[in-house]
Amino acid sequence: MRQEHFIKRHQPEWNAFEQWLDARGEHAKRARMSRRQWHGLSDHDVPARYRRLCQQLALARRRGYSPLVTDRLQLLMQRGHGLLYRTPPPRWRRMVEFLLAGFPRLVRAERGCMAASALLFWLPLVVVFVAIQLTPELSASLFDPAQLMQFESMYDPDDPLRKLGRDNGTDVAMFGHYVWNNVSIGFRTFASGLLAGIGAVVVLIVNGIVIGGVAGHLQAVGHGDPFWRFVAAHSAPELTAIVIAGGAGLRLGLNLVAPGQRRRIDALVDGGRRGALLCLGVLAMLVFAAFVEAFWSSIAWMPAWIKYSVGGVLWTLTFLWLWRGGRNLDLAEAGATP
């Protein structure tokens, strides 16, 4: 083939590859910002284009084409190699990117399961809370008298010496207790999805009833103020994490019951992998919630308006994080595998 025909045939794909290098090879943050405006070569097609470019360079050299052609192909090959095989970012950075971007994207990708999980958790919670306000005696059917007395003692507004929601132990010891308690609830909620999803449904409903029952009883007996001040801040990451763990469990159960066109074992492995990634984010949320609960929520002298303001900020940040996090990134680039 003559050089002119060779150039005419492959010039468009060289130009497309060069434009992709210009767009992706610059500063990473700038490349992410312009991702939505990019309408050129797809990232998924780049490896194949790169291999074809290397073949074309070898062919041009063997045929003795002019340096004008071989030098350009050599430059494109070198730039492509540098970009495709560059050193991955450190693990800590991948973890941060996963938490900030990859995890919210995974949550949004499972929006159906997450919405079902939120409904299964929040609906019983709200219904039980309202029902106890209308009929306070209902709390006696959910908890035995000793449990009700313990709840009332923990949030007694007439006991200024008692820390909110705290009966004994130092903040550090209680932090460890809260971490263990929160993580065990989150893990149970996810793992129970293996029971065809029914386990996750039961765990979510039971948790909603219990939390709604405790909140409803304390509100009904006049202990609502210390209770709400205690839960205002850490409830955002804690309750949201339980809902996400439930959504991951529902996904696991759905893949087991309805694998679609895939083999059941393949669907189950895929659901387990996605669930494990979701659980990493859930774990981070629950540890953060335990930290807030141990070192902030139990402070009794803090004015209520500050407690509620911090709680409002954390609920807002949690919502914005899950709603907007990683919208400008591909799932793989966002560190879906930390």
Side-chain angles (χ1 to χ4, degrees):
M1 179 185 292
R2 295 173 60 87
Q3 176 175 305
E4 293 76 12
H5 293 162
F6 182 80
I7 295 176
K8 184 177 181 181
R9 170 180 291 184
H10 301 297
Q11 182 77 31
E13 59 182 293
W14 297 345
N15 291 340
F17 189 74
E18 189 171 31
Q19 290 169 2
W20 182 86
L21 289 172
D22 292 339
R24 295 289 187 270
E26 298 296 334
H27 192 271
K29 183 177 180 181
R30 193 183 308 161
R32 288 195 295 270
M33 296 292 290
S34 61
R35 182 175 298 275
R36 287 193 171 187
Q37 288 74 41
W38 174 251
H39 301 291
L41 185 60
S42 168
D43 291 351
H44 301 292
D45 295 332
V46 168
R49 290 292 185 93
Y50 175 76
R51 288 192 295 271
R52 194 155 59 236
L53 183 74
C54 294
Q55 294 169 354
Q56 292 163 359
L57 174 60
L59 191 63
R61 284 174 174 167
R62 188 169 67 244
R63 292 177 177 174
Y65 290 157
S66 70
L68 184 66
V69 176
T70 56
D71 288 352
R72 185 187 181 193
L73 292 177
Q74 176 73 24
L75 180 60
L76 291 176
M77 186 273 290
Q78 290 176 342
R79 292 182 63 192
H81 183 276
L83 197 56
L84 291 173
Y85 296 98
R86 63 185 172 188
T87 304
R91 181 169 290 274
W92 67 266
R93 181 179 166 185
R94 292 163 60 191
M95 285 294 297
V96 171
E97 289 180 346
F98 170 74
L99 290 177
L100 293 179
F103 177 68
R105 287 182 61 95
L106 277 175
V107 172
R108 292 197 297 272
E110 300 292 347
R111 59 177 61 87
C113 290
M114 298 302 162
S117 177
L119 188 65
L120 289 168
F121 177 75
W122 282 105
L123 184 60
L125 190 155
V126 173
V127 168
V128 170
F129 179 85
V130 173
I132 291 179
Q133 304 316 300
L134 299 176
T135 311
E137 296 76 16
L138 285 177
S139 57
S141 61
L142 294 175
F143 309 101
D144 58 47
Q147 288 178 306
L148 294 178
M149 289 183 62
Q150 182 183 8
F151 298 151
E152 295 173 14
S153 173
M154 291 172 64
Y155 300 99
D156 186 357
D158 297 327
D159 186 359
L161 298 179
R162 181 184 294 277
K163 282 190 172 184
L164 294 176
R166 180 75 58 80
D167 51 3
N168 54 35
T170 64
D171 289 342
V172 175
M174 294 308 294
F175 172 60
H177 169 74
Y178 292 142
V179 168
W180 172 256
N181 183 63
N182 291 351
V183 171
S184 63
I185 292 175
F187 181 76
R188 275 202 309 272
T189 307
F190 166 66
S192 58
L194 279 172
L195 301 176
I198 298 175
V201 172
V202 172
V203 171
L204 285 166
I205 292 176
V206 169
N207 273 290
I209 291 174
V210 171
I211 295 174
V214 173
H217 174 71
L218 292 172
Q219 180 69 29
V221 298
H223 294 194
D225 176 63
F227 173 75
W228 295 117
R229 282 192 288 131
F230 177 71
V231 303
H234 70 266
S235 58
E238 185 175 278
L239 299 186
T240 306
I242 291 175
V243 169
I244 294 174
L250 291 177
R251 165 51 58 198
L252 194 62
L254 282 175
N255 280 21
L256 180 64
V257 174
Q261 300 297 324
R262 297 172 294 179
R263 293 190 306 163
R264 196 176 303 278
I265 185 63
D266 293 336
L268 188 60
V269 169
D270 178 63
R273 177 183 173 278
R274 297 175 72 84
L277 289 172
L278 287 168
C279 282
L280 287 177
V282 168
L283 175 65
M285 294 178 72
L286 291 176
V287 171
F288 174 70
F291 179 83
V292 175
E293 187 173 2
F295 299 103
W296 170 264
S297 298
S298 61
I299 300 176
W301 55 264
M302 189 72 67
W305 69 270
I306 296 180
K307 287 290 191 76
Y308 295 139
S309 297
V310 171
V313 169
L314 287 178
W315 273 104
T316 302
L317 291 177
T318 301
F319 174 75
L320 289 176
W321 170 49
L322 296 176
W323 178 41
R324 302 296 301 177
R327 281 190 173 271
N328 293 326
L329 296 178
D330 286 337
L331 200 58
E333 186 174 341
T337 305

